[in-house]
Amino acid sequence: MELVIVEEVQKELNRLANQDVYIHLETTNGAYATHNDESFFSSGAFIRNALVKYEIGQIKGNGPYRIGLKLNIGWVYAEGITHFEVDDQNRLLMAGHDYQGKLAVAFQISPTPFE
Amino acid sequence: MEKERQILVIFPHPDDEAFGVSGTLALHIQKGTPVTYACLTLGEMGRNLGNPPFATRESLPHIRKVELQNAANSIGIQDLRMLGYRDKTVEFEDPEKLADHMGEIIADVNPSLIITFYPGYSVHPDHDATGAAVVKAVGRLAPEKRPKLHCVAFSKNSLDELGAPDIVNDVTAVSDQKIATIQAHASQTQLMIQNMAEKLKANDPDMIAWVNNERFWTYKF
């Protein structure tokens, strides 16, 4: 993973547009958030291998970044993205790491299903 | 500590064994007791990926699998089984099927002692779900056929509601092995191990007690 380079992420979002892609989208505060701080309201969401096709995907903001995909029949977006990588399976892996380096959000787009 | 014929440990995440039970397991292995460790997931959803990140969501399970094998080696565990569930989804499995699966492993390993999490008192939903499945599987056996069941609990209400743990093992004799086991899970423990090492060096009594005492509640049906 490296820090987001806006032009490169945009190029990858363009590459994966207008075709069937699989989405991994996750937000998390960790399973121990409320155990460590009872006043903390823990929330999160997780979806893996949602099959979608988007007509336009864009990266916005000055960092941490927002990524939005406009689908024919809906939307997918995430905020807080700090890092990205295109892995050896041509998957666009994006993540947001908090100030301690812990993962807070993951947004991944792949032409093939995630294992 | 009583000598056991065969131990079966069932936890959901690589590193669950490191903090609370690795010393106890090392002591049993020294006495010649074989230990089987069934680990349900590969901790795929861990939030520690390094800072700066050296792992991704997709590479993390591969890294943690190797760490788990290294941790098992540090303790001396010969029989490590990875069950193929996914981190943070254990509670959403069919509870009957999950208990069936635990029952199959128990029948196969035929332990005299099982170690797992105390359901309802173990904070992480995977911990509670794993403990509940093991309790259900053991509960299905005739009372005289049940192995002993020692549970780890660490929720804030565990002392108030369960009382004091009935088993406290002093694992000082194998503390180096225990620390090596914690270190084997480097991706998850890198940050905390520094803090631990500093406190141990400064003879912090709470940290020494936390590392050297392992606490269990015997589950009563």
Side-chain angles (χ1 to χ4, degrees):
Chain A
M1 287 249 151
E2 59 177 323
L3 288 168
V4 162
I5 302 166
V6 172
E7 298 71 28
E8 290 199 19
V9 171
Q10 186 58 59
K11 200 179 77 193
E12 293 303 317
L13 291 170
N14 295 348
R15 174 176 68 86
L16 292 160
N18 296 306
Q19 57 178 291
D20 282 348
V21 288
Y22 297 86
I23 302 286
H24 168 116
L25 179 61
E26 162 195 359
T27 69
T28 176
N29 341 103
Y32 299 99
T34 306
H35 179 71
N36 293 331
D37 174 5
E38 279 172 33
S39 68
F40 190 86
F41 181 85
S42 191
S43 69
F46 172 54
I47 184 166
R48 189 165 172 87
N49 281 330
L51 179 59
V52 306
K53 188 187 279 191
Y54 62 92
E55 56 195 50
I56 179 168
Q58 297 188 75
I59 176 166
K60 295 286 178 177
N62 298 312
Y65 298 92
R66 301 178 299 279
I67 310 283
L69 310 180
K70 183 175 173 63
L71 316 182
N72 299 335
I73 54 164
W75 290 92
V76 181
Y77 77 78
E79 65 176 69
I81 300 294
T82 57
H83 289 75
F84 85 111
E85 173 178 317
V86 178
D87 76 358
D88 55 5
Q89 297 178 53
N90 273 324
R91 304 184 291 197
L92 174 58
L93 311 181
M94 298 175 284
H97 292 265
D98 70 13
Y99 302 117
Q100 285 85 46
K102 292 191 177 208
L103 186 105
V105 56
F107 189 0
Q108 307 182 148
I109 308 172
S110 169
T112 52
F114 293 97
E115 335 162 352
Chain B
M1 232 170 57
E2 236 173 289
K3 178 160 164 56
E4 295 295 336
R5 180 176 47 75
Q6 165 77 51
I7 295 175
L8 170 61
V9 185
I10 306 179
F11 285 141
H13 310 119
D15 79 7
D16 285 337
E17 84 295 343
F19 303 108
V21 310
S22 58
T24 297
L25 298 179
L27 288 172
H28 278 294
I29 288 168
Q30 270 184 5
K31 287 190 187 180
T33 303
V35 173
T36 294
Y37 177 18
C39 188
L40 274 75
T41 84
L42 292 175
E44 292 89 346
M45 301 295 270
R47 296 183 70 215
N48 293 314
L49 300 166
N51 189 17
F54 58 78
T56 69
R57 253 295 157 265
E58 301 310 311
S59 67
L60 185 66
H62 304 288
I63 293 169
R64 295 196 71 175
K65 187 175 182 178
V66 174
E67 291 175 347
L68 177 59
Q69 284 158 337
N70 291 339
N73 290 341
S74 317
I75 302 171
I77 293 172
Q78 305 278 347
D79 183 15
L80 171 64
R81 305 185 185 190
M82 298 180 231
L83 304 188
Y85 293 90
R86 189 181 175 88
D87 194 7
K88 288 188 87 169
T89 67
V90 177
E91 64 178 329
F92 302 117
E93 293 284 348
D94 180 330
E96 294 301 320
K97 282 188 188 161
L98 190 60
D100 290 348
H101 192 183
M102 297 304 117
E104 284 164 22
I105 294 166
I106 293 166
D108 179 47
V109 175
N110 184 26
S112 56
L113 169 66
I114 298 176
I115 297 175
T116 190
F117 281 115
Y118 207 117
Y121 296 92
S122 298
V123 183
H124 193 300
D126 287 343
H127 297 174
D128 285 335
T130 299
V134 173
V135 165
K136 185 177 272 194
V138 175
R140 287 171 177 169
L141 302 173
E144 69 280 6
K145 295 254 167 88
R146 287 175 194 156
K148 275 177 281 182
L149 184 50
H150 291 176
C151 298
V152 174
F154 66 103
S155 64
K156 298 241 155 69
N157 58 347
S158 48
L159 280 174
D160 283 349
E161 295 184 17
L162 298 174
D166 56 323
I167 295 157
V168 179
N169 292 331
D170 181 346
V171 301
T172 312
V174 289
S175 62
D176 288 351
Q177 246 177 300
K178 178 166 182 173
I179 287 167
T181 306
I182 296 173
Q183 276 169 334
H185 296 286
S187 70
Q188 305 307 296
T189 58
Q190 210 177 28
L191 293 173
M192 70 167 304
I193 202 97
Q194 285 172 357
N195 176 38
M196 252 181 77
E198 279 165 27
K199 285 187 171 169
L200 287 175
K201 216 173 156 189
N203 287 319
D204 180 285
D206 291 342
M207 183 54 78
I208 291 171
W210 184 75
V211 172
N212 288 340
N213 293 299
E214 295 183 347
R215 312 180 309 163
F216 302 89
W217 283 261
T218 300
Y219 193 89
K220 292 179 190 76
F221 286 90

